Amino acid sequence: MSIVKQQKWWGWGEEGISFSFADKPKFAPFVLDKLDVDITIPAPTVREFSTLDVPTSQLGDDLRQKFVDALGADYVVDDDEVRVVHAFGRGVRDLVRVRRGELGRVPDVVLYPADEEQVIAIVDAAVAANAVLIPYGGGSNIVGALEALPDETRTVVSVNLGRMNRVLEIDADSGLARIQAGVLGPDMEVQLNAQGWTMGHFPDSFMWSTLGGWIATRSSGMQSDKYGDIADITRGLRMVMTDQVLVLRPLPSSSSGPSVREIVLGSEGRLGIITEAWVNVHRTPQVRQIQAYFFPDYYSGLRAMEEISASDAAPTITRVSDANETEFSMANGKKSSTIGHLLNRAIQEVMTRKGWDLKKICVSFIGFEGSAVHVRYEKMLVGKIVSRNGGMGVGTGPGALYDQKKFDIPYIRDFLLDRGIPADVSETSTPWSGLRQMYDNTRAAAQRAFDEAGVKGFIMCHLSHSYHSGACQYFTFAINDSSEHNMESYDRVKQAIQQSFMDNGGTVSHHHGVGEEHSPWMDQDISPAGVFIQRTLFEGVDPGQNFNPGKVLHDGIPGVSSNSVQPE
Amino acid sequence: MSIVKQQKWWGWGEEGISFSFADKPKFAPFVLDKLDVDITIPAPTVREFSTLDVPTSQLGDDLRQKFVDALGADYVVDDDEVRVVHAFGRGVRDLVRVRRGELGRVPDVVLYPADEEQVIAIVDAAVAANAVLIPYGGGSNIVGALEALPDETRTVVSVNLGRMNRVLEIDADSGLARIQAGVLGPDMEVQLNAQGWTMGHFPDSFMWSTLGGWIATRSSGMQSDKYGDIADITRGLRMVMTDQVLVLRPLPSSSSGPSVREIVLGSEGRLGIITEAWVNVHRTPQVRQIQAYFFPDYYSGLRAMEEISASDAAPTITRVSDANETEFSMANGKKSSTIGHLLNRAIQEVMTRKGWDLKKICVSFIGFEGSAVHVRYEKMLVGKIVSRNGGMGVGTGPGALYDQKKFDIPYIRDFLLDRGIPADVSETSTPWSGLRQMYDNTRAAAQRAFDEAGVKGFIMCHLSHSYHSGACQYFTFAINDSSEHNMESYDRVKQAIQQSFMDNGGTVSHHHGVGEEHSPWMDQDISPAGVFIQRTLFEGVDPGQNFNPGKVLHDGIPGVSSNSVQPE
């Protein structure tokens, strides 16, 4: 029994939960068609944990004693499985390595502080001993932000904040809540909902990510169009640093110099350990609807989203999938009353009459919240824009289903990995004017990489978040490569996609953060002068490199070899 | 004839424009009542510029030659009046000092670069010569951000960006414009409007402030409720630093580490010179209306604004004046068809029937934009909330007038200063739950300071910007003190107000920035650890302290004495 809820050592989520295609008749044929893999063949079982060669903890007695004094012995854990769980995030590369027994620099100890005072004691002791501190939330990071540098010779301490999981207070007049950083998404929403509130932040990782993790990585959620990215939601916070605690009181807006709040956001553990935050919360809305629409092609869908962003309407979700992702969604539908079922005969007939090519159709989800009157009004505004761009509404059924199933994708990712199909995601934002170019060129770059790697691959995409000036496009790719060298194929594809982001005016990541995986493109994203500013910050604030060194930027970390993924 | 549009050396705005109360019969009685000053007595004339003792430029021949080589001799100016204009912003303290001939450390030269290449040449030459660079936009800063440190021994170079005043391109699909940093508000809007666009950023300083200045100080405008603060509007930028140029491409959102964009915002010249930015622009709306409402008291108005912020409505402006400011507005009304006229007999009768105390009534302006349907819908939502909180609508007349006159206040400030009444403003934001406490305690603190200083004083306030979690309150205060020591009285009041902001959960400034004037409260605003982070940034990025030293934070600047205004 782990101290806090803990993911499988070998995959996403809790033991006992996994993806099944038993009631999804179209899924296996879809995978066979796209990737030449027959997933009906039983997958090899994952190895026993006991077969792993886990390096011995190097935690010294003195430091251990200080941790025990601060937390109590029960919360200073050097159990092998717990240490291995904390050695990685849950990116596909992480899972491939851990399953192969390539454990890298496993943390020497995992600590579970109960409050900020204990975090201070941990930081004091660790920095005094020149140890390395890696804050750990839900463990779902997919860009390598949770792993120690491979050649780290100092003691590595993983600080699991999972016991700090309470909503501490709600300021009802202000719509603000003070919440501990270690709370997982569902636990937080349960506490808020019980008092009639929601934070409205629902990233794909929601089940296995925490408030502190969202802040540290500049997360976005599915309803960020309305509720804002975590950078908008977070109004104040506390962070334990060497010899001091940063205290930013909750403020709606401020002009007190370069924003320290926005410096902590995205700092990925390099400046300190976030212990709590004041965040915007909202009354749970009277009406909440997700409407589904179809477009004859992806470009039409993009155009509609662009027009919505410039209109008087302000939906909570704007999402449109390309043809590949639409096909995937249908293949992932259950036999009855599902998204697969969505395309019933009547709708198909309408589409055919309209002259649509059913292979190119794209599904879109648009969310509405507010009073019944407001939702009706917004739906009217959006409906006109959808029609003007050739789309058609098909009701709320598919949207409700999407809403229920939105957190299941990582289980499918693991299911495919079990069967020799590594799959991963990359997302970027660009101005509206660059969306189509980004889409076309990124797909082409991925296809070239598939070809060069000599593997069959698949890539699909959706627009996931809209802003006034642009949108995020979220790419999911998979390759048929179960070979020992499949991470080289993976690197080639991931590299091609990230480079395409840079070449087409996008950012290195819209909401997954930088970690280790995206760090090689930082020069291209924010320019060398931007990297210089960040490096100045990291090295100046943490001259001993005790706080999660090597994340966001590799520069200045002595002895660190190149990243796994590199620009050409 | 100055090279670019230039303010008076002794006051706000251009020569020849000034405030007159000739057609405002209630103004003189109002001032007499509130401040015991008879403004009908002619004011002493401002001294001749020639009577000032302007220190000689200390620009060396070598550095001058480098500037001339880069810009041409016409754009390297050491004329005394130009140098004095560039020695200060336009805060009341600045005007008092300059009129007294207390010129402080006047810049040795004013440079007018035409493009980024010339800015690079200036920076290269100045940093190589260990000179100090102070970027200058419209010159309207009121927190001391434009003046050199009093004991600065190095050459001081004021870089006036006024020739860099063009909208360079508009990305119509994305609603983005690339604009040079030195453009003044009106010139920018004219260029945008000509193509059907607006940036929607209208700070009080609009006539005499620039895009670069807004970014450097984290400005907000009157319609920020809709268009966002400048921090939201600015999506990308370029900044010239020592030996490098920061390039941030326009991105709707990003998770590439601590936000370098948000580090430049509010940097007040300490990191480099901003040359251009990509900003959100919007199609000029079909309908634009500012509705006026009255509330029986200020608290009712605050409650209504809070409810609006939590509602489905999203007005462009939310503003409510307290009773004092409402009285001021009426006293500032022209004889006919004005805001003074607003309270016509019919309305007064309605108010009296409602049992309102006419001395306590508060005027509110709420802005609406969009299609005609949208404006009608939003007005309906807002109208219900206003009614629920005891308020009443009085139409668009006063709002239209407010809209025309909104940039006139600084002329009134100068008019009063001419007559021995120093007046200034301080603004802060707090969560909604703290607004009333902030209002009451700040007024009480100001009154105590008036009493301690032994001067008659007046303070008024309005809520100026609303956010989900709180709002900005904007205080204007004036004292009857024409003595030689009136800046001591001023300091006492300003200090009391700023300290009240800190004691009541506010920020040091919502949108005027820190400069020199607010720097003493930074420890209290963002905590010592926050100051440590900012100091690390400034000292690390600009180790030679060549870029506008001493602004935002005084720490680490050798030889600099205390600020003029100090916390107790």
Side-chain angles (χ1 to χ4, degrees):
Chain A
M1 188 56 199
S2 59
I3 291 169
V4 299
K5 219 171 137 192
Q6 179 174 296
Q7 299 198 56
K8 304 161 184 164
W9 69 264
W10 53 271
W12 179 272
E14 260 174 313
E15 292 281 358
I17 301 181
S18 58
F19 172 75
S20 162
F21 64 97
D23 52 354
K24 296 171 175 173
K26 293 181 189 163
F27 193 75
F30 174 84
V31 178
L32 189 63
D33 177 39
K34 300 302 178 192
L35 289 160
D36 290 345
V37 176
D38 182 356
I39 57 168
T40 62
I41 300 171
T45 50
V46 172
R47 66 198 287 173
E48 291 294 316
F49 182 81
S50 59
T51 64
L52 293 180
D53 184 19
V54 183
T56 311
S57 167
Q58 294 168 29
L59 179 64
D61 290 342
D62 283 2
L63 189 53
R64 168 189 299 276
Q65 191 55 50
K66 283 190 181 134
F67 291 149
V68 169
D69 291 347
L71 309 183
D74 288 352
Y75 302 108
V76 179
V77 177
D78 58 2
D79 169 84
D80 278 356
E81 187 167 335
V82 170
R83 286 169 54 226
V84 168
V85 165
H86 288 75
F88 298 102
R90 283 296 172 273
V92 70
R93 173 196 309 286
D94 302 323
L95 299 186
V96 168
R97 285 182 299 175
V98 77
R99 289 163 177 215
R100 284 186 185 155
E102 297 166 8
L103 301 181
R105 181 66 177 88
V106 175
D108 298 303
V109 64
V110 179
L111 304 180
Y112 296 85
D115 54 31
E116 185 179 280
E117 208 177 323
Q118 293 191 356
V119 174
I120 292 171
I122 290 169
V123 167
D124 283 352
V127 172
N130 195 22
V132 165
L133 291 153
I134 303 179
Y136 188 99
S140 55
N141 188 281
I142 58 169
V143 294
L146 296 176
E147 51 189 280
L149 292 168
D151 42 9
E152 184 59 74
T153 55
R154 299 174 290 177
T155 303
V156 175
V157 180
S158 179
V159 184
N160 185 315
L161 294 152
R163 291 172 69 206
M164 295 170 62
N165 60 3
R166 278 174 307 133
V167 174
L168 297 172
E169 57 182 304
I170 295 177
D171 173 350
D173 276 341
S174 309
L176 284 168
R178 186 161 70 90
I179 305 179
Q180 291 183 304
V183 68
L184 289 166
D187 296 344
M188 183 191 73
E189 280 292 319
V190 163
Q191 293 176 66
L192 289 173
N193 292 169
Q195 300 187 58
W197 297 91
T198 179
M199 194 167 120
H201 189 72
F202 302 103
D204 289 357
S205 62
F206 181 71
M207 304 299 283
W208 291 99
S209 56
T210 60
L211 174 59
W214 300 332
I215 294 171
T217 57
R218 301 184 76 87
S219 165
S220 299
M222 291 171 189
Q223 299 176 32
S224 293
D225 284 18
K226 172 184 166 75
Y227 293 100
D229 296 328
I230 200 72
D232 307 301
I233 293 170
T234 305
R235 303 316 317 164
L237 55 80
R238 296 176 67 98
M239 180 173 74
V240 175
M241 303 165 66
T242 305
D243 294 332
Q244 56 192 339
V245 178
L246 174 71
V247 182
L248 298 177
R249 296 158 308 140
L251 292 167
S253 186
S254 174
S255 67
S256 53
S259 172
V260 175
R261 189 180 59 80
E262 291 268 5
I263 285 173
V264 174
L265 282 151
S267 57
E268 302 191 5
R270 288 206 58 167
L271 300 174
I273 297 180
I274 298 160
T275 55
E276 64 178 53
W278 277 104
V279 294
N280 284 348
V281 291
H282 300 252
R283 287 288 179 194
T284 41
Q286 192 188 329
V287 177
R288 179 169 186 275
Q289 273 184 16
I290 302 178
Q291 292 277 333
Y293 303 87
F294 272 100
F295 289 95
D297 54 60
Y298 187 57
Y299 277 19
S300 305
L302 293 185
R303 252 198 321 273
M305 301 305 125
E306 181 183 328
E307 284 186 30
I308 290 169
S309 83
S311 77
D312 290 332
T316 59
I317 301 169
T318 48
R319 182 182 170 108
V320 55
S321 293
D322 73 355
N324 274 359
E325 193 170 289
T326 301
E327 198 182 345
F328 167 79
S329 294
M330 295 196 202
N332 191 27
K334 285 192 190 173
K335 212 180 292 188
S336 57
S337 70
T338 68
I339 194 168
H341 202 61
L342 162 82
L343 264 194
N344 61 40
R345 193 141 313 173
I347 294 175
Q348 286 196 37
E349 271 172 26
V350 172
M351 289 177 174
T352 308
R353 265 205 311 278
K354 281 170 177 274
W356 291 14
D357 178 347
L358 295 184
K359 291 249 171 245
K360 289 190 182 163
I361 57 169
C362 291
V363 69
S364 168
F365 294 113
I366 302 182
F368 303 93
E369 289 185 10
S371 71
V373 169
H374 189 70
V375 166
R376 211 175 313 128
Y377 170 65
E378 295 251 317
K379 263 164 41 182
M380 179 269 291
L381 294 179
V382 165
K384 281 182 185 170
I385 295 171
V386 168
S387 298
R388 194 156 68 224
N389 285 283
M392 59 186 278
V394 294
T396 53
L401 196 77
Y402 156 71
D403 206 22
Q404 289 158 28
K405 293 165 53 76
K406 62 195 174 189
F407 303 126
D408 293 350
I409 295 290
Y411 290 106
I412 302 180
R413 190 263 320 252
D414 288 4
F415 172 91
L416 294 174
L417 182 60
D418 291 342
R419 284 148 187 87
I421 304 173
D424 199 8
V425 294
S426 278
E427 24 71 67
T428 191
S429 74
T430 38
W432 289 110
S433 60
L435 281 195
R436 285 169 300 198
Q437 176 187 317
M438 176 64 79
Y439 175 73
D440 290 340
N441 290 356
T442 301
R443 275 165 38 104
Q447 190 56 56
R448 275 197 306 277
F450 298 150
D451 295 345
E452 285 164 16
V455 297
K456 179 122 181 175
F458 179 73
I459 184 165
M460 62 188 192
C461 176
H462 65 269
L463 177 150
S464 65
H465 301 79
S466 293
Y467 301 84
H468 166 75
S469 64
C472 170
Q473 289 184 105
Y474 194 111
F475 295 87
T476 302
F477 61 93
I479 53 176
N480 173 354
D481 190 347
S482 56
S483 76
E484 263 180 61
H485 307 293
N486 62 359
M487 284 299 97
E488 286 168 28
S489 305
Y490 164 83
D491 280 354
R492 194 184 278 271
V493 178
K494 173 81 180 166
Q495 187 277 328
I497 291 173
Q498 291 296 136
Q499 191 57 47
S500 170
F501 289 175
M502 295 299 108
D503 295 344
N504 293 289
T507 178
V508 75
S509 169
H510 168 265
H511 60 265
H512 288 152
V514 184
E516 143 130 354
E517 196 108 346
H518 293 153
S519 142
W521 287 275
M522 286 297 282
D523 257 3
Q524 294 178 61
D525 191 352
I526 61 173
S527 83
V531 168
F532 166 73
I533 289 173
Q534 286 187 344
R535 189 190 309 131
T536 298
L537 193 64
F538 294 146
E539 295 183 358
V541 170
D542 177 32
Q545 305 273 11
N546 299 111
F547 289 91
N548 210 8
K551 306 316 163 349
V552 185
L553 302 178
H554 259 186
D555 318 61
I557 312 293
V560 172
S561 54
S562 62
N563 286 48
S564 41
V565 181
Q566 284 290 346
E568 268 159 4
Chain B
M1 189 55 200
S2 58
I3 291 169
V4 300
K5 217 173 140 194
Q6 180 175 295
Q7 299 199 57
K8 303 160 184 164
W9 68 265
W10 54 273
W12 180 271
E14 260 174 312
E15 293 281 356
I17 301 181
S18 58
F19 172 75
S20 162
F21 65 95
D23 53 352
K24 296 171 175 173
K26 292 181 188 161
F27 193 75
F30 174 84
V31 178
L32 188 64
D33 176 40
K34 301 301 181 195
L35 288 160
D36 289 346
V37 176
D38 181 357
I39 57 168
T40 63
I41 301 170
T45 50
V46 172
R47 65 196 290 171
E48 291 293 317
F49 182 81
S50 59
T51 65
L52 293 180
D53 185 18
V54 183
T56 313
S57 168
Q58 295 169 28
L59 178 65
D61 289 342
D62 283 3
L63 188 53
R64 168 189 299 276
Q65 193 54 53
K66 284 191 181 133
F67 291 149
V68 170
D69 291 347
L71 309 183
D74 288 352
Y75 301 108
V76 178
V77 178
D78 58 2
D79 169 84
D80 279 355
E81 186 167 335
V82 170
R83 285 170 53 226
V84 168
V85 165
H86 288 76
F88 297 101
R90 283 298 172 272
V92 69
R93 171 196 311 284
D94 303 323
L95 299 186
V96 168
R97 286 182 298 175
V98 77
R99 289 163 177 217
R100 286 187 182 152
E102 297 167 7
L103 301 180
R105 181 67 178 88
V106 175
D108 299 304
V109 65
V110 179
L111 305 180
Y112 296 86
D115 55 29
E116 185 179 280
E117 208 176 324
Q118 294 192 355
V119 175
I120 292 171
I122 291 169
V123 167
D124 283 353
V127 171
N130 194 22
V132 166
L133 291 154
I134 304 181
Y136 188 99
S140 56
N141 188 280
I142 58 168
V143 294
L146 295 176
E147 51 190 280
L149 292 169
D151 42 8
E152 183 60 74
T153 55
R154 299 174 290 178
T155 305
V156 175
V157 181
S158 179
V159 184
N160 186 315
L161 294 152
R163 291 172 70 206
M164 295 170 62
N165 59 3
R166 279 174 306 133
V167 173
L168 297 172
E169 58 181 303
I170 294 178
D171 173 349
D173 277 340
S174 309
L176 284 167
R178 186 161 70 91
I179 305 179
Q180 289 183 305
V183 69
L184 288 166
D187 297 344
M188 182 190 75
E189 281 293 319
V190 163
Q191 293 176 66
L192 290 173
N193 293 170
Q195 300 186 58
W197 298 90
T198 180
M199 193 167 121
H201 189 72
F202 302 104
D204 288 356
S205 63
F206 181 71
M207 304 297 286
W208 291 98
S209 57
T210 60
L211 174 58
W214 301 332
I215 295 171
T217 57
R218 300 185 77 88
S219 167
S220 299
M222 291 173 188
Q223 298 175 32
S224 294
D225 285 17
K226 173 184 164 76
Y227 293 101
D229 297 326
I230 200 71
D232 307 303
I233 292 170
T234 306
R235 304 316 316 166
L237 54 80
R238 296 176 66 98
M239 181 172 74
V240 175
M241 304 164 66
T242 305
D243 295 332
Q244 55 191 341
V245 178
L246 175 71
V247 182
L248 298 177
R249 296 159 305 140
L251 291 168
S253 185
S254 172
S255 66
S256 53
S259 171
V260 175
R261 189 180 60 80
E262 291 268 6
I263 285 172
V264 174
L265 282 152
S267 57
E268 301 191 8
R270 289 205 58 166
L271 300 174
I273 298 179
I274 299 161
T275 54
E276 64 177 55
W278 278 104
V279 295
N280 284 350
V281 292
H282 300 253
R283 287 290 179 193
T284 41
Q286 192 187 330
V287 177
R288 179 169 185 276
Q289 272 184 17
I290 302 178
Q291 292 279 333
Y293 303 86
F294 272 101
F295 289 95
D297 54 59
Y298 187 56
Y299 277 19
S300 305
L302 293 186
R303 252 196 323 272
M305 300 306 125
E306 180 183 327
E307 283 185 31
I308 290 169
S309 84
S311 77
D312 290 332
T316 59
I317 300 170
T318 48
R319 181 183 171 109
V320 55
S321 293
D322 72 355
N324 275 358
E325 193 169 290
T326 301
E327 200 181 344
F328 167 80
S329 293
M330 295 196 201
N332 191 27
K334 286 192 190 172
K335 214 180 292 188
S336 57
S337 71
T338 67
I339 195 169
H341 202 62
L342 162 82
L343 264 193
N344 62 38
R345 194 138 314 172
I347 294 175
Q348 286 195 35
E349 271 173 26
V350 173
M351 287 178 175
T352 308
R353 265 206 311 279
K354 281 170 176 273
W356 290 14
D357 178 348
L358 294 184
K359 290 251 172 241
K360 289 191 181 159
I361 57 170
C362 291
V363 69
S364 168
F365 295 113
I366 301 181
F368 303 93
E369 288 184 10
S371 71
V373 169
H374 189 70
V375 166
R376 210 175 315 127
Y377 170 65
E378 295 251 317
K379 263 164 42 182
M380 179 270 291
L381 294 179
V382 165
K384 282 183 185 169
I385 294 171
V386 168
S387 298
R388 193 156 66 222
N389 286 282
M392 59 187 276
V394 293
T396 53
L401 196 78
Y402 156 72
D403 206 23
Q404 287 158 31
K405 292 164 57 72
K406 62 195 174 189
F407 304 127
D408 292 351
I409 295 291
Y411 290 105
I412 303 182
R413 190 264 318 253
D414 289 4
F415 173 90
L416 294 175
L417 182 60
D418 290 343
R419 284 148 186 88
I421 304 172
D424 199 6
V425 293
S426 278
E427 23 69 70
T428 191
S429 73
T430 38
W432 289 110
S433 60
L435 280 195
R436 285 170 299 197
Q437 175 186 320
M438 175 64 79
Y439 176 73
D440 291 338
N441 291 356
T442 300
R443 273 165 40 103
Q447 191 54 57
R448 273 197 306 277
F450 298 151
D451 295 344
E452 285 164 16
V455 298
K456 180 121 181 174
F458 178 73
I459 184 164
M460 60 189 194
C461 176
H462 64 269
L463 178 150
S464 64
H465 301 79
S466 294
Y467 301 84
H468 165 75
S469 64
C472 170
Q473 288 185 106
Y474 193 110
F475 294 88
T476 303
F477 61 94
I479 53 176
N480 173 354
D481 190 347
S482 57
S483 76
E484 265 182 59
H485 306 294
N486 62 0
M487 284 299 98
E488 286 167 31
S489 305
Y490 165 83
D491 280 354
R492 195 184 278 271
V493 178
K494 174 80 178 167
Q495 186 277 325
I497 291 173
Q498 291 296 138
Q499 190 58 48
S500 171
F501 289 175
M502 294 300 107
D503 296 342
N504 294 288
T507 177
V508 76
S509 170
H510 169 265
H511 59 267
H512 288 152
V514 184
E516 145 132 352
E517 195 109 347
H518 293 152
S519 138
W521 287 274
M522 287 296 282
D523 257 3
Q524 294 178 60
D525 191 351
I526 62 172
S527 82
V531 168
F532 166 73
I533 288 173
Q534 286 186 345
R535 190 192 307 132
T536 297
L537 193 63
F538 293 147
E539 296 183 358
V541 169
D542 177 33
Q545 304 274 10
N546 298 110
F547 288 91
N548 210 9
K551 307 316 163 350
V552 186
L553 302 178
H554 259 184
D555 319 61
I557 312 292
V560 172
S561 55
S562 63
N563 286 48
S564 43
V565 181
Q566 282 293 345
E568 272 162 359

